[in-house]
Amino acid sequence: ASTQHQPRGAFIVFEGADRAGKSTQCQMLVEHLQAAGVAAELWRFPDRTTAIGKMINSYLTSQAEIDDAAVHLLFSANRWEKREELLRKLRAGTTLVVDRYAYSGVAFTAAKGAPGLDRAWCMAPDAGLPAPDAIFFLNLTVEQAAARGGYGEERYEKADFQRKVLEQFQGMRDSSWRVIDASQSIEDIQQQLREQAGAVVARCQRGGEPIKQLWG
Ligand code: 2DT
Ligand code: MG
């Protein structure tokens, strides 16, 4: 059997618009898995710690202006530069809970509606990256998000733009996405995530699960 089919960690991605509770739920899930004896790490994209990530951070905090196409490629490059480490961790048996991935990449750039930067263009640079074993979509309307105290100060944190991002996510998601009603209580959401993620982790631990590639 190839190494891909050995027991391994699970690759679990969280997506959703801002304020849906992704970071809170990811953190809680990782702590739960660790407490249950599962090797697990919390990752997030963009990873703002790398050289590319620092450019992205400058862009998001409006300290830098970067062309829409160019910054899209930086976000993608930020995933590619983490690819080997990501695969190494999974093969070593570590489960990765990842706060945003290529789906955010496509949704946020496509939401700009810039000439030429349609969904197909946005998807192209991420083709071939490792694909997650499960995608949890924390579903919250812009109105519900606003009721949570509004958005922050970063570039994309505006209601009108978030509405377009949500439309992009709706247009992109397929039946494999696990849609979670993010208007529920933190505890209720976490309970559902633990059950579903637990099953994914167990499946990958048993072996026989290949690591697939985007956009498969
Ligand atoms: P956080 O608020 O989660 O730090 O995200 N984004 C993210 C993109 O535009 N393209 C991408 O590929 C990714 C991963 C979403 C910061 C913002 O960056 C956006 C929100
Ligand atoms: Mg944010």
Side-chain angles (χ1 to χ4, degrees):
S2 81
T3 50
Q4 281 193 341
H5 294 66
Q6 297 302 308
R8 62 172 176 83
F11 178 15
I12 298 172
V13 163
F14 280 75
E15 287 288 3
D18 288 87
R19 308 293 297 160
K22 291 185 301 301
S23 301
T24 302
Q25 295 293 341
C26 285
Q27 181 79 45
M28 289 173 76
L29 180 59
V30 167
E31 284 168 11
H32 165 77
L33 290 170
Q34 290 170 342
V38 174
E41 286 183 13
L42 175 58
W43 280 32
R44 66 181 311 128
F45 287 106
D47 177 339
R48 304 190 195 209
T49 66
T50 69
I52 293 167
K54 286 180 178 129
M55 297 173 73
I56 292 170
N57 184 61
S58 298
Y59 174 77
L60 288 172
T61 56
S62 299
Q63 298 168 76
E65 293 304 318
I66 305 177
D67 171 82
D68 287 332
V71 80
H72 181 79
L73 297 175
L74 289 179
F75 276 107
S76 178
N78 186 232
R79 286 183 280 280
W80 280 103
E81 68 177 337
K82 300 292 286 186
R83 173 181 174 272
E84 279 194 27
E85 186 185 351
L86 189 149
L87 291 172
R88 200 178 335 113
K89 295 266 182 186
L90 293 179
R91 287 173 182 147
T94 301
T95 283
L96 301 178
V97 175
V98 183
D99 188 348
R100 296 193 194 277
Y101 196 54
Y103 313 91
S104 275
V106 173
F108 277 75
T109 301
K112 293 177 174 177
L117 309 192
D118 58 11
R119 191 176 304 150
W121 185 92
C122 291
M123 289 172 72
D126 288 303
L129 281 171
D133 298 300
I135 304 165
F136 289 103
F137 183 72
L138 298 194
N139 200 23
L140 197 71
T141 66
V142 169
E143 289 70 27
Q144 289 167 328
R148 293 189 167 178
Y151 297 107
E153 296 297 305
E154 289 201 334
R155 187 179 285 268
Y156 296 139
E157 299 180 326
K158 308 269 186 304
D160 284 353
F161 189 71
Q162 293 287 324
R163 207 165 274 121
K164 291 178 184 158
V165 171
L166 275 178
E167 279 168 23
Q168 289 297 327
F169 275 130
Q170 316 297 5
M172 217 184 346
R173 75 188 203 206
D174 64 36
S175 59
S176 73
W177 290 35
R178 298 152 189 258
V179 180
I180 306 281
D181 174 4
S183 71
Q184 302 172 89
S185 74
I186 289 177
E187 292 72 25
D188 285 351
I189 295 169
Q190 182 62 206
Q191 185 55 37
Q192 292 154 39
L193 293 174
R194 286 178 183 180
E195 284 168 19
Q196 295 197 39
V200 176
V201 169
R203 202 177 75 213
C204 292
Q205 269 175 352
R206 278 196 299 273
E209 289 289 326
I211 300 173
K212 300 195 181 98
Q213 292 184 353
L214 296 180
W215 294 93

mmCIF file of all heavy atoms in Angstrom, residues 138-175:
data_model
loop_
_atom_site.group_PDB
_atom_site.id
_atom_site.type_symbol
_atom_site.label_atom_id
_atom_site.label_comp_id
_atom_site.label_asym_id
_atom_site.label_seq_id
_atom_site.Cartn_x
_atom_site.Cartn_y
_atom_site.Cartn_z
ATOM 1 N N LEU A 138 -19.813 27.001 8.433
ATOM 2 C CA LEU A 138 -20.599 27.638 9.497
ATOM 3 C C LEU A 138 -21.453 28.718 8.849
ATOM 4 O O LEU A 138 -20.957 29.759 8.429
ATOM 5 C CB LEU A 138 -19.682 28.208 10.580
ATOM 6 C CG LEU A 138 -18.823 27.180 11.324
ATOM 7 C CD1 LEU A 138 -18.226 27.791 12.578
ATOM 8 C CD2 LEU A 138 -19.617 25.938 11.699
ATOM 9 N N ASN A 139 -22.736 28.428 8.772
ATOM 10 C CA ASN A 139 -23.661 29.233 7.986
ATOM 11 C C ASN A 139 -24.346 30.292 8.852
ATOM 12 O O ASN A 139 -25.016 29.954 9.819
ATOM 13 C CB ASN A 139 -24.705 28.291 7.374
ATOM 14 C CG ASN A 139 -25.397 28.901 6.187
ATOM 15 O OD1 ASN A 139 -24.870 29.812 5.542
ATOM 16 N ND2 ASN A 139 -26.586 28.416 5.886
ATOM 17 N N LEU A 140 -24.137 31.547 8.486
ATOM 18 C CA LEU A 140 -24.724 32.658 9.234
ATOM 19 C C LEU A 140 -25.031 33.769 8.243
ATOM 20 O O LEU A 140 -24.213 34.071 7.378
ATOM 21 C CB LEU A 140 -23.705 33.160 10.273
ATOM 22 C CG LEU A 140 -24.239 34.039 11.408
ATOM 23 C CD1 LEU A 140 -25.079 33.205 12.372
ATOM 24 C CD2 LEU A 140 -23.082 34.683 12.170
ATOM 25 N N THR A 141 -26.219 34.378 8.347
ATOM 26 C CA THR A 141 -26.520 35.482 7.435
ATOM 27 C C THR A 141 -25.758 36.727 7.866
ATOM 28 O O THR A 141 -25.281 36.821 9.004
ATOM 29 C CB THR A 141 -28.032 35.817 7.437
ATOM 30 O OG1 THR A 141 -28.370 36.331 8.728
ATOM 31 C CG2 THR A 141 -28.881 34.590 7.124
ATOM 32 N N VAL A 142 -25.670 37.680 6.941
ATOM 33 C CA VAL A 142 -24.996 38.943 7.248
ATOM 34 C C VAL A 142 -25.713 39.669 8.394
ATOM 35 O O VAL A 142 -25.073 40.272 9.249
ATOM 36 C CB VAL A 142 -24.918 39.817 5.979
ATOM 37 C CG1 VAL A 142 -24.475 41.241 6.300
ATOM 38 C CG2 VAL A 142 -23.970 39.195 4.973
ATOM 39 N N GLU A 143 -27.050 39.556 8.406
ATOM 40 C CA GLU A 143 -27.837 40.208 9.466
ATOM 41 C C GLU A 143 -27.506 39.581 10.831
ATOM 42 O O GLU A 143 -27.335 40.285 11.825
ATOM 43 C CB GLU A 143 -29.336 40.084 9.183
ATOM 44 C CG GLU A 143 -29.825 40.943 8.020
ATOM 45 C CD GLU A 143 -29.330 40.455 6.646
ATOM 46 O OE1 GLU A 143 -29.067 39.241 6.481
ATOM 47 O OE2 GLU A 143 -29.188 41.294 5.730
ATOM 48 N N GLN A 144 -27.432 38.256 10.851
ATOM 49 C CA GLN A 144 -27.092 37.579 12.104
ATOM 50 C C GLN A 144 -25.671 37.938 12.545
ATOM 51 O O GLN A 144 -25.409 38.124 13.739
ATOM 52 C CB GLN A 144 -27.221 36.050 11.943
ATOM 53 C CG GLN A 144 -28.676 35.580 11.838
ATOM 54 C CD GLN A 144 -28.786 34.138 11.358
ATOM 55 O OE1 GLN A 144 -27.961 33.662 10.586
ATOM 56 N NE2 GLN A 144 -29.814 33.444 11.812
ATOM 57 N N ALA A 145 -24.774 38.036 11.568
ATOM 58 C CA ALA A 145 -23.390 38.399 11.900
ATOM 59 C C ALA A 145 -23.338 39.816 12.469
ATOM 60 O O ALA A 145 -22.645 40.079 13.469
ATOM 61 C CB ALA A 145 -22.503 38.290 10.657
ATOM 62 N N ALA A 146 -24.086 40.715 11.835
ATOM 63 C CA ALA A 146 -24.094 42.111 12.293
ATOM 64 C C ALA A 146 -24.620 42.202 13.717
ATOM 65 O O ALA A 146 -24.131 42.992 14.532
ATOM 66 C CB ALA A 146 -24.934 42.966 11.350
ATOM 67 N N ALA A 147 -25.626 41.353 14.037
ATOM 68 C CA ALA A 147 -26.210 41.357 15.381
ATOM 69 C C ALA A 147 -25.206 40.894 16.435
ATOM 70 O O ALA A 147 -25.417 41.097 17.626
ATOM 71 C CB ALA A 147 -27.446 40.464 15.407
ATOM 72 N N ARG A 148 -24.122 40.282 15.999
ATOM 73 C CA ARG A 148 -23.093 39.825 16.937
ATOM 74 C C ARG A 148 -22.115 40.926 17.304
ATOM 75 O O ARG A 148 -21.059 40.672 17.869
ATOM 76 C CB ARG A 148 -22.315 38.641 16.350
ATOM 77 C CG ARG A 148 -23.178 37.440 16.211
ATOM 78 C CD ARG A 148 -22.411 36.198 15.843
ATOM 79 N NE ARG A 148 -23.298 35.046 16.054
ATOM 80 C CZ ARG A 148 -22.971 33.794 15.801
ATOM 81 N NH1 ARG A 148 -21.781 33.505 15.322
ATOM 82 N NH2 ARG A 148 -23.832 32.837 16.033
ATOM 83 N N GLY A 149 -22.427 42.143 16.917
ATOM 84 C CA GLY A 149 -21.534 43.232 17.304
ATOM 85 C C GLY A 149 -20.730 43.777 16.142
ATOM 86 O O GLY A 149 -19.803 44.556 16.317
ATOM 87 N N GLY A 150 -21.121 43.359 14.945
ATOM 88 C CA GLY A 150 -20.512 43.964 13.769
ATOM 89 C C GLY A 150 -19.157 43.376 13.412
ATOM 90 O O GLY A 150 -18.651 42.478 14.087
ATOM 91 N N TYR A 151 -18.617 43.891 12.340
ATOM 92 C CA TYR A 151 -17.361 43.391 11.805
ATOM 93 C C TYR A 151 -16.201 44.179 12.368
ATOM 94 O O TYR A 151 -16.384 45.213 13.009
ATOM 95 C CB TYR A 151 -17.391 43.468 10.283
ATOM 96 C CG TYR A 151 -18.470 42.600 9.672
ATOM 97 C CD1 TYR A 151 -19.610 43.164 9.123
ATOM 98 C CD2 TYR A 151 -18.347 41.217 9.679
ATOM 99 C CE1 TYR A 151 -20.608 42.367 8.576
ATOM 100 C CE2 TYR A 151 -19.341 40.413 9.134
ATOM 101 C CZ TYR A 151 -20.465 40.998 8.590
ATOM 102 O OH TYR A 151 -21.444 40.211 8.051
ATOM 103 N N GLY A 152 -15.010 43.703 12.080
ATOM 104 C CA GLY A 152 -13.798 44.386 12.532
ATOM 105 C C GLY A 152 -13.348 45.443 11.546
ATOM 106 O O GLY A 152 -14.130 45.940 10.738
ATOM 107 N N GLU A 153 -12.086 45.745 11.609
ATOM 108 C CA GLU A 153 -11.517 46.861 10.844
ATOM 109 C C GLU A 153 -10.832 46.418 9.560
ATOM 110 O O GLU A 153 -10.388 47.259 8.794
ATOM 111 C CB GLU A 153 -10.482 47.585 11.712
ATOM 112 C CG GLU A 153 -11.073 48.250 12.953
ATOM 113 C CD GLU A 153 -12.058 49.350 12.601
ATOM 114 O OE1 GLU A 153 -11.670 50.262 11.847
ATOM 115 O OE2 GLU A 153 -13.224 49.270 13.047
ATOM 116 N N GLU A 154 -10.731 45.101 9.332
ATOM 117 C CA GLU A 154 -9.936 44.675 8.177
ATOM 118 C C GLU A 154 -10.672 44.876 6.861
ATOM 119 O O GLU A 154 -11.881 45.099 6.820
ATOM 120 C CB GLU A 154 -9.478 43.225 8.355
ATOM 121 C CG GLU A 154 -8.418 43.125 9.438
ATOM 122 C CD GLU A 154 -7.563 41.880 9.353
ATOM 123 O OE1 GLU A 154 -8.021 40.858 8.821
ATOM 124 O OE2 GLU A 154 -6.414 41.961 9.838
ATOM 125 N N ARG A 155 -9.882 44.804 5.799
ATOM 126 C CA ARG A 155 -10.308 45.174 4.447
ATOM 127 C C ARG A 155 -11.661 44.612 4.028
ATOM 128 O O ARG A 155 -12.471 45.320 3.466
ATOM 129 C CB ARG A 155 -9.217 44.722 3.469
ATOM 130 C CG ARG A 155 -9.419 45.157 2.053
ATOM 131 C CD ARG A 155 -8.258 44.678 1.198
ATOM 132 N NE ARG A 155 -7.044 45.464 1.420
ATOM 133 C CZ ARG A 155 -6.706 46.542 0.703
ATOM 134 N NH1 ARG A 155 -7.498 46.975 -0.259
ATOM 135 N NH2 ARG A 155 -5.588 47.185 0.955
ATOM 136 N N TYR A 156 -11.904 43.324 4.277
ATOM 137 C CA TYR A 156 -13.109 42.692 3.744
ATOM 138 C C TYR A 156 -14.277 42.733 4.720
ATOM 139 O O TYR A 156 -15.342 42.183 4.432
ATOM 140 C CB TYR A 156 -12.816 41.240 3.385
ATOM 141 C CG TYR A 156 -11.793 41.062 2.282
ATOM 142 C CD1 TYR A 156 -10.826 40.072 2.357
ATOM 143 C CD2 TYR A 156 -11.812 41.876 1.147
ATOM 144 C CE1 TYR A 156 -9.901 39.881 1.343
ATOM 145 C CE2 TYR A 156 -10.885 41.704 0.137
ATOM 146 C CZ TYR A 156 -9.925 40.701 0.237
ATOM 147 O OH TYR A 156 -9.017 40.516 -0.767
ATOM 148 N N GLU A 157 -14.096 43.346 5.866
ATOM 149 C CA GLU A 157 -15.095 43.260 6.931
ATOM 150 C C GLU A 157 -16.163 44.355 6.818
ATOM 151 O O GLU A 157 -16.283 45.227 7.668
ATOM 152 C CB GLU A 157 -14.383 43.262 8.295
ATOM 153 C CG GLU A 157 -13.448 42.062 8.415
ATOM 154 C CD GLU A 157 -12.702 41.983 9.719
ATOM 155 O OE1 GLU A 157 -12.356 43.028 10.294
ATOM 156 O OE2 GLU A 157 -12.457 40.859 10.175
ATOM 157 N N LYS A 158 -16.931 44.254 5.716
ATOM 158 C CA LYS A 158 -18.019 45.194 5.434
ATOM 159 C C LYS A 158 -19.238 44.379 5.021
ATOM 160 O O LYS A 158 -19.108 43.417 4.256
ATOM 161 C CB LYS A 158 -17.649 46.105 4.258
ATOM 162 C CG LYS A 158 -16.308 46.810 4.402
ATOM 163 C CD LYS A 158 -16.446 48.159 5.069
ATOM 164 C CE LYS A 158 -15.137 48.931 5.082
ATOM 165 N NZ LYS A 158 -14.008 48.217 5.724
ATOM 166 N N ALA A 159 -20.415 44.790 5.477
ATOM 167 C CA ALA A 159 -21.627 43.983 5.245
ATOM 168 C C ALA A 159 -21.881 43.718 3.764
ATOM 169 O O ALA A 159 -22.186 42.580 3.376
ATOM 170 C CB ALA A 159 -22.833 44.657 5.886
ATOM 171 N N ASP A 160 -21.763 44.746 2.922
ATOM 172 C CA ASP A 160 -22.060 44.563 1.500
ATOM 173 C C ASP A 160 -21.145 43.523 0.865
ATOM 174 O O ASP A 160 -21.581 42.697 0.060
ATOM 175 C CB ASP A 160 -21.911 45.894 0.740
ATOM 176 C CG ASP A 160 -23.085 46.815 1.000
ATOM 177 O OD1 ASP A 160 -24.055 46.359 1.653
ATOM 178 O OD2 ASP A 160 -23.032 47.985 0.572
ATOM 179 N N PHE A 161 -19.871 43.597 1.223
ATOM 180 C CA PHE A 161 -18.920 42.645 0.644
ATOM 181 C C PHE A 161 -19.150 41.245 1.202
ATOM 182 O O PHE A 161 -19.104 40.250 0.453
ATOM 183 C CB PHE A 161 -17.477 43.101 0.885
ATOM 184 C CG PHE A 161 -16.486 42.263 0.127
ATOM 185 C CD1 PHE A 161 -16.391 42.358 -1.253
ATOM 186 C CD2 PHE A 161 -15.674 41.357 0.793
ATOM 187 C CE1 PHE A 161 -15.502 41.566 -1.966
ATOM 188 C CE2 PHE A 161 -14.783 40.555 0.088
ATOM 189 C CZ PHE A 161 -14.680 40.662 -1.287
ATOM 190 N N GLN A 162 -19.442 41.155 2.493
ATOM 191 C CA GLN A 162 -19.690 39.843 3.103
ATOM 192 C C GLN A 162 -20.884 39.141 2.451
ATOM 193 O O GLN A 162 -20.913 37.919 2.314
ATOM 194 C CB GLN A 162 -19.945 40.009 4.604
ATOM 195 C CG GLN A 162 -18.720 40.475 5.383
ATOM 196 C CD GLN A 162 -17.671 39.392 5.542
ATOM 197 O OE1 GLN A 162 -17.982 38.230 5.700
ATOM 198 N NE2 GLN A 162 -16.401 39.787 5.508
ATOM 199 N N ARG A 163 -21.891 39.939 2.041
ATOM 200 C CA ARG A 163 -23.051 39.367 1.363
ATOM 201 C C ARG A 163 -22.608 38.709 0.050
ATOM 202 O O ARG A 163 -23.060 37.625 -0.302
ATOM 203 C CB ARG A 163 -24.076 40.488 1.111
ATOM 204 C CG ARG A 163 -25.499 40.028 1.022
ATOM 205 C CD ARG A 163 -26.484 41.191 1.130
ATOM 206 N NE ARG A 163 -26.816 41.529 2.505
ATOM 207 C CZ ARG A 163 -26.629 42.708 3.080
ATOM 208 N NH1 ARG A 163 -26.111 43.715 2.383
ATOM 209 N NH2 ARG A 163 -26.964 42.914 4.330
ATOM 210 N N LYS A 164 -21.711 39.380 -0.666
ATOM 211 C CA LYS A 164 -21.218 38.815 -1.932
ATOM 212 C C LYS A 164 -20.360 37.565 -1.686
ATOM 213 O O LYS A 164 -20.396 36.612 -2.467
ATOM 214 C CB LYS A 164 -20.407 39.868 -2.686
ATOM 215 C CG LYS A 164 -21.285 40.994 -3.201
ATOM 216 C CD LYS A 164 -20.477 42.070 -3.909
ATOM 217 C CE LYS A 164 -21.386 43.222 -4.313
ATOM 218 N NZ LYS A 164 -20.640 44.473 -4.520
ATOM 219 N N VAL A 165 -19.600 37.591 -0.621
ATOM 220 C CA VAL A 165 -18.795 36.412 -0.271
ATOM 221 C C VAL A 165 -19.711 35.222 0.004
ATOM 222 O O VAL A 165 -19.479 34.108 -0.477
ATOM 223 C CB VAL A 165 -17.909 36.703 0.960
ATOM 224 C CG1 VAL A 165 -17.244 35.422 1.467
ATOM 225 C CG2 VAL A 165 -16.847 37.756 0.624
ATOM 226 N N LEU A 166 -20.784 35.464 0.760
ATOM 227 C CA LEU A 166 -21.734 34.386 1.058
ATOM 228 C C LEU A 166 -22.350 33.828 -0.211
ATOM 229 O O LEU A 166 -22.499 32.615 -0.356
ATOM 230 C CB LEU A 166 -22.830 34.898 2.000
ATOM 231 C CG LEU A 166 -22.492 34.848 3.487
ATOM 232 C CD1 LEU A 166 -23.631 35.420 4.313
ATOM 233 C CD2 LEU A 166 -22.192 33.414 3.928
ATOM 234 N N GLU A 167 -22.689 34.708 -1.149
ATOM 235 C CA GLU A 167 -23.239 34.245 -2.436
ATOM 236 C C GLU A 167 -22.237 33.332 -3.142
ATOM 237 O O GLU A 167 -22.608 32.324 -3.727
ATOM 238 C CB GLU A 167 -23.548 35.436 -3.352
ATOM 239 C CG GLU A 167 -24.866 36.116 -3.050
ATOM 240 C CD GLU A 167 -24.991 37.460 -3.788
ATOM 241 O OE1 GLU A 167 -24.296 37.648 -4.818
ATOM 242 O OE2 GLU A 167 -25.761 38.312 -3.314
ATOM 243 N N GLN A 168 -20.973 33.715 -3.092
ATOM 244 C CA GLN A 168 -19.940 32.884 -3.724
ATOM 245 C C GLN A 168 -19.839 31.518 -3.051
ATOM 246 O O GLN A 168 -19.735 30.490 -3.721
ATOM 247 C CB GLN A 168 -18.581 33.601 -3.696
ATOM 248 C CG GLN A 168 -18.497 34.788 -4.641
ATOM 249 C CD GLN A 168 -18.658 34.392 -6.096
ATOM 250 O OE1 GLN A 168 -18.255 33.306 -6.518
ATOM 251 N NE2 GLN A 168 -19.250 35.266 -6.888
ATOM 252 N N PHE A 169 -19.866 31.521 -1.732
ATOM 253 C CA PHE A 169 -19.829 30.236 -1.014
ATOM 254 C C PHE A 169 -21.033 29.363 -1.408
ATOM 255 O O PHE A 169 -20.881 28.157 -1.635
ATOM 256 C CB PHE A 169 -19.841 30.463 0.505
ATOM 257 C CG PHE A 169 -18.490 30.713 1.122
ATOM 258 C CD1 PHE A 169 -18.297 31.805 1.967
ATOM 259 C CD2 PHE A 169 -17.414 29.852 0.914
ATOM 260 C CE1 PHE A 169 -17.064 32.043 2.575
ATOM 261 C CE2 PHE A 169 -16.175 30.068 1.519
ATOM 262 C CZ PHE A 169 -16.001 31.177 2.358
ATOM 263 N N GLN A 170 -22.222 29.988 -1.483
ATOM 264 C CA GLN A 170 -23.428 29.199 -1.839
ATOM 265 C C GLN A 170 -23.256 28.595 -3.229
ATOM 266 O O GLN A 170 -23.634 27.447 -3.463
ATOM 267 C CB GLN A 170 -24.710 30.049 -1.846
ATOM 268 C CG GLN A 170 -24.933 31.024 -0.699
ATOM 269 C CD GLN A 170 -25.076 30.393 0.653
ATOM 270 O OE1 GLN A 170 -24.928 29.181 0.814
ATOM 271 N NE2 GLN A 170 -25.334 31.215 1.662
ATOM 272 N N GLY A 171 -22.691 29.365 -4.146
ATOM 273 C CA GLY A 171 -22.539 28.894 -5.517
ATOM 274 C C GLY A 171 -21.486 27.809 -5.659
ATOM 275 O O GLY A 171 -21.464 27.062 -6.635
ATOM 276 N N MET A 172 -20.587 27.724 -4.695
ATOM 277 C CA MET A 172 -19.447 26.822 -4.777
ATOM 278 C C MET A 172 -19.685 25.511 -4.055
ATOM 279 O O MET A 172 -19.112 24.496 -4.393
ATOM 280 C CB MET A 172 -18.269 27.521 -4.103
ATOM 281 C CG MET A 172 -16.942 27.296 -4.750
ATOM 282 S SD MET A 172 -15.586 28.045 -3.838
ATOM 283 C CE MET A 172 -16.305 29.118 -2.724
ATOM 284 N N ARG A 173 -20.521 25.561 -2.993
ATOM 285 C CA ARG A 173 -20.555 24.389 -2.126
ATOM 286 C C ARG A 173 -21.340 23.249 -2.753
ATOM 287 O O ARG A 173 -22.313 23.465 -3.476
ATOM 288 C CB ARG A 173 -21.081 24.766 -0.741
ATOM 289 C CG ARG A 173 -22.546 24.995 -0.670
ATOM 290 C CD ARG A 173 -22.908 25.559 0.701
ATOM 291 N NE ARG A 173 -24.310 25.265 0.961
ATOM 292 C CZ ARG A 173 -25.088 25.985 1.777
ATOM 293 N NH1 ARG A 173 -24.606 27.025 2.423
ATOM 294 N NH2 ARG A 173 -26.336 25.649 1.954
ATOM 295 N N ASP A 174 -20.894 22.034 -2.506
ATOM 296 C CA ASP A 174 -21.604 20.853 -3.008
ATOM 297 C C ASP A 174 -22.074 20.012 -1.829
ATOM 298 O O ASP A 174 -21.907 20.384 -0.675
ATOM 299 C CB ASP A 174 -20.718 20.053 -3.980
ATOM 300 C CG ASP A 174 -19.491 19.483 -3.302
ATOM 301 O OD1 ASP A 174 -19.574 19.079 -2.121
ATOM 302 O OD2 ASP A 174 -18.437 19.424 -3.951
ATOM 303 N N SER A 175 -22.663 18.860 -2.153
ATOM 304 C CA SER A 175 -23.312 18.043 -1.116
ATOM 305 C C SER A 175 -22.321 17.468 -0.111
ATOM 306 O O SER A 175 -22.718 16.989 0.946
ATOM 307 C CB SER A 175 -24.098 16.916 -1.776
ATOM 308 O OG SER A 175 -23.203 16.125 -2.538
#
